[in-house]
Amino acid sequence: MKSLAAAVLFVAALVPVAGDAARPAAGDGGCAPALARIRAEALHRGVPERNEVPAAEVPRIESELSSLLSRLTSSPTRRERVPDRVTVPVYFHVLHDGGRGNLTDEQVRGQIAVMNAAYGGGRGGADTGVSFVLKEITRSDNADWYAHPETHEATYKSRLRRGGADTLNLYSASLGEDLLGWSTFPWKYRSEPRMDGVVIHIGALPDGTITNYDRGYSAVHEVGHWMGLYHTFQDGCGTPGDRVDDTPEERDPTNGCPDRKDTCPAPGEDPIHNFMDYAWDACMTHFTAGQGARMRQVWSAYRAR
């Protein structure tokens, strides 16, 4: 929904309690992550969001989206406009260092199952109309890629990425102390197709090692960005926020799992249980119907073949 009023994020990051490698400075031709998720407690410690997009750019992004959707709905030759359902092919790339990080096929399939349950309303939210089909698991035994995935992002993505704009490429690695995952936005695919995808901390997968972030919802959150969703706290108490009508305004990201939270004067309490907030995994339960509609609209504009 909304981000700090100062800026819209191209990065959504979560922060693990501890990692087995500190994150290095960018190098080796790598790029900073496009959309990184930071745990709320890390924000309170002063860990910055990465790759913030100036607020002035957001109207341009949304104007382009509106124009593309208008063109799709008015085109007499376009059979498929905004679909009721979207099936996303997934390639899961396991980056590992020998036995470290070498996820089993069962662990990978478990993450895909969590994503399908979340997007299908299995935790009690709306069925977004989005589902995921695992096409292939690849494995890369490379200590540098595994321990420093930000630094070497351009290298491994250029070698491993499969498919086009409609194909989700998920990468697992050790993201160190600060990040639980990051993602690219769909409107960046045209200019940087090889960088498109989602990177997830191995400890944030289902039954992972990161306390409070061990149910696989980091991937659910990041894929939401890959599908075109902003945070629920986008623009704080300002409008138009996350561009979704059925997510109440929220000034600050949620920390932990409070009983309730209401940080804005507008009607509705903060959506602390929404997958696009920063609550603990145990607190996350749903997407809204409006978020599902936006994902399918953005899909039609930027990712549909």
Side-chain angles (χ1 to χ4, degrees), residues 10 113 122 141 191 208 212 229 252 262 297 302:
F10 258 22
D141 189 353
S191 60
N212 298 321
L229 294 181
D252 305 315
D262 192 1
Q297 289 169 348
Y302 293 102

Side-chain angles (χ1 to χ4, degrees), residues 5-10 53-68 187 230 234-235 239-243 294 302:
V8 174
L9 312 176
F10 258 22
V53 178
E57 284 193 28
V58 181
R60 177 191 58 78
I61 293 169
E62 294 301 315
S63 176
E64 179 185 72
L65 173 59
S66 178
S67 177
L68 288 169
W187 40 85
Y230 296 122
Q234 181 69 41
D235 292 340
T239 56
D242 65 350
R243 275 67 178 179
R294 177 177 169 88
Y302 293 102

Side-chain angles (χ1 to χ4, degrees), residues 26 54 58 95 151 164 196 203 240 261:
V58 181
L95 310 183
T151 299
D196 186 70
K261 177 167 154 271

Side-chain angles (χ1 to χ4, degrees), residues 132-250:
F132 305 89
V133 175
L134 181 64
K135 304 296 288 186
E136 185 179 347
I137 302 170
T138 74
R139 301 178 186 279
S140 298
D141 189 353
N142 187 305
D144 288 336
W145 292 3
Y146 170 71
H148 308 299
E150 272 193 84
T151 299
H152 302 288
E153 182 181 12
T155 302
Y156 63 76
K157 282 188 172 181
S158 65
R159 296 185 189 179
L160 299 177
R161 195 185 186 285
R162 303 281 298 277
D166 65 335
T167 303
L168 173 60
N169 282 252
L170 270 168
Y171 305 82
S172 63
S174 175
L175 309 193
E177 298 292 334
D178 292 341
L179 299 176
L180 292 177
W182 71 80
S183 172
T184 56
F185 271 129
W187 40 85
K188 297 294 289 183
Y189 180 85
R190 191 183 313 151
S191 60
E192 298 179 289
R194 303 305 300 177
M195 299 301 289
D196 186 70
V198 171
V199 183
I200 295 297
H201 197 303
I202 57 164
L205 268 69
D207 299 318
T209 59
I210 302 174
T211 302
N212 298 321
Y213 299 92
D214 56 359
R215 299 191 180 191
Y217 294 149
S218 295
V220 171
H221 177 104
E222 297 304 336
V223 171
H225 290 305
W226 187 83
M227 293 291 297
L229 294 181
Y230 296 122
H231 290 126
T232 52
F233 46 87
Q234 181 69 41
D235 292 340
C237 296
T239 56
D242 65 350
R243 275 67 178 179
V244 176
D245 291 339
D246 59 359
T247 51
E249 293 178 0
E250 182 179 23

